[in-house]
Amino acid sequence: MTKKKIVFNLENALLKDAPLKIELYKWELEEHIQEYFDSKKEDRDKYFIAITEHTNDVAMLLIDDKNCLHINEQAREKLKKIWKNNYERNMKILIPQIAQNLFDGYIFSTGVKEVKEIKRSWRAK
């Protein structure tokens, strides 16, 4: 599979809400769940995301801040809520990186730290 085709499949699944495949989740992601929990804890991440693609299908999982596991569409919707207005922008940045990992033969996985928004108020003196 070409990297261009992987990007196309990821964009369909992550940006255009195409269906994600539970069979692919079970085949490639499910067996690594304990490793993902361990990595999240060790790195002190607030969230953990894993995404895979195979033969035009995409699967993902998300471990949330309460260590609840979200799979496929539920994971995508949870991530949209977490990232709010930045979901599409973040995915457009991440998809080429995800595709490169997958093209190189690796499952994409990453921890996400909490980033607090700093609001500043400026007052004239």
Side-chain angles (χ1 to χ4, degrees), residues 98-109:
I98 297 168
Q100 185 63 55
N101 270 77
L102 296 169
F103 183 75
D104 291 341
Y106 301 102
I107 294 171
F108 174 82
S109 63

Side-chain angles (χ1 to χ4, degrees), residues 21-81:
K21 295 292 183 181
I22 192 68
E23 296 84 5
L24 182 58
Y25 162 79
K26 289 179 180 179
W27 185 53
E28 287 198 359
L29 298 177
E30 190 172 54
E31 68 183 289
H32 301 287
I33 290 173
Q34 189 57 54
E35 295 168 46
Y36 297 150
F37 276 110
D38 293 345
S39 174
K40 180 181 178 282
K41 182 179 179 182
E42 182 179 324
D43 295 344
R44 297 180 188 183
D45 293 319
K46 187 163 185 175
Y47 305 100
F48 188 91
I49 304 164
I51 299 172
T52 191
E53 186 273 351
H54 189 271
T55 59
N56 301 320
D57 293 329
V58 176
M60 78 181 288
L61 71 79
L62 179 139
I63 303 170
D64 70 17
D65 55 335
K66 296 180 176 117
N67 284 332
C68 294
L69 186 65
H70 304 271
I71 301 166
N72 288 344
E73 286 84 1
Q74 185 186 35
R76 182 176 59 206
E77 292 310 309
K78 181 72 174 177
L79 193 56
K80 284 180 181 183
K81 288 178 183 174

